[in-house]
Amino acid sequence: MYSIYYIGAQNSERIDFCQWPYMVTGGDLFDGEFDAIEDDDRIQGWERKITSKKLSIEIRAVGVSLEQAIDQLENVAEKDVLNTTPGRLYVGSSYMKGWLVGTTKDRWLQDLDSISNELTFKSDYPYWITEEEFRLHKKGSESSEAMEWLEFPYDVPYEFSKVRNLQYINNSNYTASGFKMIIYGPCINPLIRIAGHIYELRTTLYDGEYAVIDSSTRYAKDRKIIKVKSDGTEENLFNSKNNESSIWEKIPAGLSIVSWNGAFGFDIILFNERGTPRWTSR
């Protein structure tokens, strides 16, 4: 059985729907449909609009009272709704961002230690996301030395794996993916090439600082580039991006060569999106 659970946005509180006092009994989480983009009575493309999903659960007085179990679930859900900050509904390794906005209860008039509850989850970004992480290390670090002779999964024209500061990432998705990139200081004007595309910030990161390039949202206006200083304060770096090469360019599916000057390390987290949750873990 797939693990199904909700992580609240406020305090990362977790509601596990596959462990009492909550147990999933049904729903439409594995169903999905794309909406047609029409023009002149022709389909021009496909998109996913605001979507509601149903999750049927049983709530039972196991470990806590029935009343406590109900209140705990609704407290976590409503904090995210009232703050308009989406939580994450997980199915296995995939998650969708959104809110638990509805609850319909059955048998509540009877004196029982359990009730049936249908939850409504609503998302304005109705894609199931599986994250894939890669860590690329600063030249000269112990980790980079261990990776220097990294073997590629199949033959490439040159022995890239034996060249410093030239590595690869393998996007397992069937299409290009959005990403989060975390660049660690100290460094000046960090520039990274992935599949020949340049991602560059024209800024200085000091020791203990890092920059985050986050393209994980649907709308470009909501994307962010920040510097996190050693004391935890943040600085907006949006205007420090190289505007001659889109910093939001998605990372293609399959194998991509990654190159940089080796003076800094960085992480890449891919957001692999699907219309339905993955049936496999990878």
Side-chain angles (χ1 to χ4, degrees):
M1 183 178 184
Y2 291 90
S3 57
I4 300 174
Y5 55 96
Y6 179 82
I7 299 291
Q10 304 308 308
N11 301 304
S12 297
E13 295 170 283
R14 173 169 169 154
I15 300 294
D16 194 331
F17 296 117
C18 295
Q19 182 174 321
W20 294 114
Y22 316 103
M23 187 62 63
V24 63
T25 59
D28 62 1
L29 300 185
F30 286 92
D31 300 339
E33 183 178 3
F34 284 87
D35 301 295
I37 302 172
E38 301 180 40
D39 184 45
D40 195 23
D41 204 30
R42 292 180 180 272
I43 294 176
Q44 305 297 325
W46 299 92
E47 64 179 350
R48 294 180 67 84
K49 298 178 182 178
I50 293 175
T51 297
S52 293
K53 310 296 291 184
K54 298 294 185 181
L55 179 65
S56 299
I57 64 170
E58 186 86 1
I59 305 177
R60 185 173 296 176
V62 177
V64 296
S65 70
L66 181 63
E67 293 81 6
Q68 288 174 321
I70 295 171
D71 284 345
Q72 172 65 9
L73 169 58
E74 297 186 354
N75 288 346
V76 173
E78 288 192 15
K79 277 188 286 188
D80 290 346
V81 170
L82 295 175
N83 285 282
T84 324
T85 308
R88 294 181 177 187
L89 179 62
Y90 278 83
V91 176
S93 60
S94 303
Y95 65 85
M96 182 183 288
K97 297 179 181 179
W99 296 267
L100 289 167
V101 297
T103 175
T104 302
K105 300 177 179 67
D106 191 17
R107 308 196 323 266
W108 59 272
L109 283 174
Q110 302 177 43
D111 186 15
L112 300 173
D113 63 358
S114 68
I115 64 171
S116 298
N117 192 184
E118 184 178 73
L119 301 173
T120 301
F121 179 82
K122 185 164 288 191
S123 176
D124 61 354
Y125 195 72
Y127 293 89
W128 292 96
I129 298 168
T130 306
E131 296 185 0
E132 195 167 15
E133 185 172 355
F134 303 89
R135 295 188 174 183
L136 296 103
H137 301 277
K138 179 179 178 179
K139 183 175 72 174
S141 69
E142 182 177 341
S143 298
S144 75
E145 293 297 329
M147 294 179 65
E148 183 180 354
W149 299 93
L150 182 67
E151 293 296 331
F152 278 63
Y154 51 80
D155 291 336
V156 290
Y158 303 98
E159 294 186 83
F160 286 119
S161 59
K162 297 183 180 180
V163 179
R164 288 180 181 273
N165 315 324
L166 207 54
Q167 296 292 339
Y168 77 94
I169 58 176
N170 193 8
N171 181 357
S172 66
N173 205 25
Y174 51 77
T175 188
S177 300
F179 63 91
K180 179 186 289 184
M181 191 178 296
I182 306 170
I183 302 171
Y184 300 98
C187 58
I188 299 174
N189 298 338
L191 184 152
I192 299 163
R193 286 184 175 85
I194 302 176
H197 186 82
I198 292 175
Y199 302 82
E200 182 182 13
L201 293 178
R202 292 169 177 169
T203 190
T204 298
L205 299 175
Y206 296 100
D207 192 24
E209 297 183 337
Y210 61 92
V212 180
I213 304 166
D214 190 350
S215 70
S216 61
T217 60
R218 167 179 285 185
Y219 304 109
K221 66 182 179 64
D222 296 326
R223 295 170 184 167
K224 64 181 181 180
I225 307 171
I226 61 170
K227 175 197 289 188
V228 180
K229 299 181 180 180
S230 55
D231 62 1
T233 58
E234 297 182 358
E235 177 184 338
N236 189 348
L237 292 183
F238 196 85
N239 292 327
S240 297
K241 66 184 186 300
N242 176 357
N243 290 318
E244 297 176 3
S245 181
S246 173
I247 206 160
W248 311 122
E249 181 79 10
K250 289 189 173 184
I251 294 175
L255 191 74
S256 292
I257 301 300
V258 181
S259 62
W260 77 109
N261 66 7
F264 57 91
F266 58 100
D267 299 338
I268 299 172
I269 303 170
L270 300 182
F271 302 109
N272 297 338
E273 299 177 355
R274 294 168 53 93
T276 57
R278 285 196 182 202
W279 284 76
T280 55
S281 60
R282 275 292 174 214

